[in-house]
C-alpha cells in the first residue's frame, strides 16, 4: 500500500498543470486547485475575483500578508477531508492522496512541507515558451479570455514560477512528453506500481475437458478475495449452488452474486455477448462502481453466432460465436465491423481499463482470484485438435487474457473431477472428441451407490443443456495438465461419484479408504497436495485442507 501523500503541482501558465491533475484524478485521488482556495478566501473577505487580474492581485496580496501560509492551511484542511472520505474501490479508508495544482511561490510549497505530517511530492511542469504561448492563445480563443499571453505571464504573481523549478522533487517537460507519460512518472514516485515480487494472484483452471466443477469451488473461495477476474467467453457455464438457489455464471466470475462483495473485472482477452452479460449483471446486482469490463474485450455479433452453426453439427460446439469473434478480432483489424467493448453503447457504463485496476490492487495489497474457463484438454494448442475450443485454456493462456504477469501468481489450483466428461456426440454423426475409456453414468451409479436417474438429470451441459458422455479417469491427461499448469494445489470434485458415502463427509477422515487412496495417487502424480475436495453438488460441500488462505 502506497499510503497517504500530498502532491503539489506548480508551473507557468499553460504548462499542463490542470491536465496532469485531471489524469491523476482517474486514479481516485482527490484533486484541488489553489484557484478554488482563492475563491474561498475571496468569499470570506467579500472580494470580487470575477476576472483573472483580480484573482492574481488577491493571490499576490494574500502571499504578502501571510507569507504563503493561506495556501498551506487550505491544503491541510482539504487533506483532512480527503482522509475521511473513502477512495473508490478501496476497503482501507485511512489513507488518501491529495493533488493540488497551481502553486506560485516557493514559500507556499515550503510551508506545506513543514506543516504536513504526511509525505509531500512537489512536481513542477514546464514547456518551451513558444509552446506555452500557443497553448494559451488556443485556450484564449476557446474561452474568450481578454488578456494576451504576455499580459498574463507578465503579472507579478507569475514572476517566481521559475524559482519553484529548483525546489521541485520532479520536473516534467510537457512540451516533450505527453501528459499520460508524465502521469506515469508521478505515479511511480508515489509508489502506485507495486514491485514485481509481490505475488497476490491465485488462478483456478480446469485439468480435463471442462465441467470439472470450477465454478462451485471458485464461488466457495471468492469471499476471501478483493478482486475477482474472469476471462474466456459465454461458451463456458459455471454452475453454483447456494443454500438459497442455483445459478450459472457464463461471463462473470463465480460467486460475485451471493458469496462476495469484491470488485469484478472482465479481462481484455475476454469475448463478450452484450445482451447476455447485461442480464447477468442485472441478476448479480452489479453496478459500474463494482464491475469493470476492459475496453479491449471483443464483442460477439449475430453473424459470429450464425457462422458457428456448422461447428455445432460437426464437433458439438456450443455455437455461442466465441471462436468466430476471436478470429474476427485478428482478421478484422482495420475493419469497421470489428467492435470492442469500448465501442459498445450498452456496455459504456462498465467499460474501463482493467490494467489500472490490477496495478492498484497489487500496490494496495489486495488479493486477486483469476477464474479460468473450460479445461486444459480443450486447449486449442494442447488439446486433441480439432475437438478443442478457440483459446488456450491453460494457466498461461488465462493470465495472458487477463493481462496478469506470471510473476504475480501465488497459487495455481488445478481442478479435476473423478470421472472426466465430454459433451454428447452430435446427432449428425460427428464427434465432440475422444474419451479414452468411455463408460456410462449407469456404471458410475452401480459403483458408487448413487441414483442413476439423478445422475442423468444432473449431467447436462451448463450452456447448451446437452447430455454428457463420461469416462474413466485419464491419468496421462492429468499429468499433461500438471506439466502445463504446474499447480501448487489440486482440487478434486465429484467425490461422491467414487462412493455415495463421500457425500456425507465434512472432514478428510470421513472419506472412504478407497477415496483417500485415489487422492494420495493424485498427489504423487501432481507433486502437489489435493487441498480442496468437493464431495457433492450442494451448499457446504467442500472439504478444505489448505494450509494457506
Amino acid at each position: 500500500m502506497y499510503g497517504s501523500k500530498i502532491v503539489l503541482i506548480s508551473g507557468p501558465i499553460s504548462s499542463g498543470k490542470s491536465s496532469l491533475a485531471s489524469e491523476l484524478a482517474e486514479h481516485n485521488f482527490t484533486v484541488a486547485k489553489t484557484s478554488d482556495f482563492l475563491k474561498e478566501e475571496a468569499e470570506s473577505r467579500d472580494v470580487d475575483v470575477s476576472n483573472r487580474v483580480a484573482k492574481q492581485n488577491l493571490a499576490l496580496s494574500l502571499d504578502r500578508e501571510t507569507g504563503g501560509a493561506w495556501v498551506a492551511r487550505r491544503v491541510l484542511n482539504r487533506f483532512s477531508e480527503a482522509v475521511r472520505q473513502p477512495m473508490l474501490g478501496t476497503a482501507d479508508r485511512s489513507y488518501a492522496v491529495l493533488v493540488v495544482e497551481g502553486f506560485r511561490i516557493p514559500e507556499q510549497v515550503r510551508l506545506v512541507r513543514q506543516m504536513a505530517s504526511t509525505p509531500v511530492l512537489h512536481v513542477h511542469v514546464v514547456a518551451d515558451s513558444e509552446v506555452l504561448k500557443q497553448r494559451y492563445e488556443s485556450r484564449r480563443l476557446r474561452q474568450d479570455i481578454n488578456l494576451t499571453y504576455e499580459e498574463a505571464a507578465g503579472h507579478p504573481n507569475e514572476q517566481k514560477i521559475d524559482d519553484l523549478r529548483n525546489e521541485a522533487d520532479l520536473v516534467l517537460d510537457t512540451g516533450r512528453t505527453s501528459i499520460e507519460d508524465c502521469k506515469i512518472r508521478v505515479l511511480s514516485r508515489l509508489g502506485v506500481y507495486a514491485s514485481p515480487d509481490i505475488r497476490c494472484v491465485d488462478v483456478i483452471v480446469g485439468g480435463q475437458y471442462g465441467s470439472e466443477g470450477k465454478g462451485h469451488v471458485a464461488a466457495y473461495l471468492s469471499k476471501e478475495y478483493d478482486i475477482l477476474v474472469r476471462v474466456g467467453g459465454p461458451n463456458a457455464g459455471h454452475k453454483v449452488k447456494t443454500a438459497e438457489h442455483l445459478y450459472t455464471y457464463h461471463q462473470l466470475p463465480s460467486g460475485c452474486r451471493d458469496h462476495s462483495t469484491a470488485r469484478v473485472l472482465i479481462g481484455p482477452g475476454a469475448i463478450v455477448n452484450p445482451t447476455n452479460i447485461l442480464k447477468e449483471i442485472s441478476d448479480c446486482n452489479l453496478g459500474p462502481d463494482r464491475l469493470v469490463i476492459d475496453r479491449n474485450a471483443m464483442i460477439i455479433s449475430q453473424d459470429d453466432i450464425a457462422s458457428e452453426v456448422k461447428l455445432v453439427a460437426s464437433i458439438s460446439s456450443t455455437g455461442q460465436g466465441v471462436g468466430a469473434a476471436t478470429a474476427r478480432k485478428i482478421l478484422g483489424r482495420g475493419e469497421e465491423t470489428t467492435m470492442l467493448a469500448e465501442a459498445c453503447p450498452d456496455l459504456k457504463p462498465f467499460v474501463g481499463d482493467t490494467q489500472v485496476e490490477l496495478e492498484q490492487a497489487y500496490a494496495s495489497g489486495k488479493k486477486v482470484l483469476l477464474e479460468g474457463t473450460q479445461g486444459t484438454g480443450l486447449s486449442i494448442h494442447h488439446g486433441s485438435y480439432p475437438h478443442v475450443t478457440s483459446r488456450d485454456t491453460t494457466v498461461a493462456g488465462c493470465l495472458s487474457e487477463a493481462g496478469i504477469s506470471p510473476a504475480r501468481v501465488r497459487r495455481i489450483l488445478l481442478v479435476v473431477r473423478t470421472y472426466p466428461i465430454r459433451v454428447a456426440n452430435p446427432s449428425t454423426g460427428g464427434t465432440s472428441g475422444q474419451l479414452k475409456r468411455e463408460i456410462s453414468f449407469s456404471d458410475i451409479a452401480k459403483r458408487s451407490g448413487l441414483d442413476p436417474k439423478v445422475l442423468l438429470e444432473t449431467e447436462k451441459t451448463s450452456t447448451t443443456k446437452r447430455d454428457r458422455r463420461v469416462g474413466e479417469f485419464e491419468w496421462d491427461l492429468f499429468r499433461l495438465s500438471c506439466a502445463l499448469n504446474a499447480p501448487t494445489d489440486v482440487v478434486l470434485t465429484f467425490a461422491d461419484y467414487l462412493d455415495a458415502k463421500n457425500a456425507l463427509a465434512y472432514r478428510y477422515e470421513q472419506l472412504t479408504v478407497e477415496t483417500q487412496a485415489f487422492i494420495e495417487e493424485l498427489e504423487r502424480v501432481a507433486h502437489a497436495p489435493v487441498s480442496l475436495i468437493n464431495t457433492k453438488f450442494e451448499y457446504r460441500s467442500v472439504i478444505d485442507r489448505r494450509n494457506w488462505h
Side-chain angles (χ1 to χ4, degrees), residues 45-325:
R45 297 165 181 259
D46 195 25
V47 176
D48 179 17
V49 288
S50 56
N51 61 72
R52 186 181 187 91
V53 173
K55 291 178 184 177
Q56 290 178 318
N57 289 338
L58 177 59
L60 186 62
S61 174
L62 288 170
D63 287 335
R64 289 170 176 168
E65 179 183 326
T66 68
W70 70 276
V71 171
R73 287 193 294 266
R74 294 281 182 180
V75 169
L76 297 181
N77 287 339
R78 188 62 57 89
F79 178 72
S80 297
E81 294 173 2
V83 170
R84 292 193 294 269
Q85 297 173 356
M87 291 178 70
L88 184 62
T90 305
D92 186 344
R93 301 176 179 177
S94 62
Y95 76 97
V97 176
L98 173 66
V99 178
V100 185
E101 61 106 337
F103 287 80
R104 295 296 171 188
I105 59 173
E107 289 79 6
Q108 293 174 343
V109 175
R110 292 171 192 161
L111 284 170
V112 173
R113 289 189 190 277
Q114 292 171 16
M115 298 167 65
S117 59
T118 197
V120 174
L121 174 68
H122 175 202
V123 180
H124 189 73
V125 290
V126 298
D128 182 84
S129 59
E130 285 302 313
V131 172
L132 296 177
K133 183 174 181 179
Q134 289 174 8
R135 290 176 182 171
Y136 181 86
E137 292 300 334
S138 176
R139 187 178 66 180
R140 181 186 174 197
L141 292 174
R142 293 195 311 271
Q143 300 179 4
D144 194 25
I145 299 173
N146 293 325
L147 289 179
T148 65
Y149 172 74
E150 288 75 12
E151 290 171 333
H155 191 276
N157 201 38
E158 299 290 322
Q159 298 310 302
K160 289 191 175 183
I161 291 297
D162 287 342
D163 295 344
L164 284 159
R165 176 173 186 156
N166 298 328
E167 300 202 7
D169 301 299
L170 178 63
V171 177
L172 302 172
D173 188 338
T174 61
R176 301 177 62 182
T177 307
S178 71
I179 291 296
E180 292 79 9
D181 288 344
C182 289
K183 176 188 69 173
I184 296 299
R185 294 176 63 184
V186 174
L187 293 177
S188 297
R189 290 291 184 113
L190 292 175
V192 169
Y193 303 124
S195 168
D197 60 358
I198 294 179
R199 299 175 180 269
C200 57
V201 178
D202 296 341
V203 190
I204 182 167
V205 293
Q208 294 156 318
Y209 304 111
S211 300
E212 299 97 349
K214 296 181 294 298
H216 198 64
V217 175
Y220 168 79
L221 295 171
S222 63
K223 57 184 176 290
E224 300 177 15
Y225 294 85
D226 305 294
I227 310 286
L228 302 179
V229 186
R230 177 78 182 262
V231 291
N235 53 346
H238 291 182
K239 192 179 293 183
V240 176
K241 194 169 187 179
T242 68
E244 295 80 23
H245 54 255
L246 178 68
Y247 190 75
T248 301
Y249 297 88
H250 289 281
Q251 297 176 88
L252 297 179
S254 301
C256 65
R257 179 179 182 179
D258 302 293
H259 294 71
S260 169
T261 57
R263 283 181 72 74
V264 175
L265 307 182
I266 305 298
I271 310 296
V272 177
N273 182 314
T275 301
N276 294 351
I277 198 171
L278 285 170
K279 181 182 184 306
E280 206 167 324
I281 290 169
S282 176
D283 290 345
C284 298
N285 195 30
L286 296 182
D289 60 328
R290 193 174 157 210
L291 169 66
V292 178
I293 301 173
D294 194 89
R295 56 173 53 95
N296 284 334
M298 183 65 182
I299 299 298
I300 296 172
S301 70
Q302 288 302 312
D303 288 341
D304 293 328
I305 296 172
S307 70
E308 292 193 352
V309 171
K310 60 182 180 181
L311 292 178
V312 176
S314 61
I315 62 170
S316 285
S317 165
T318 60
Q320 299 298 305
V322 174

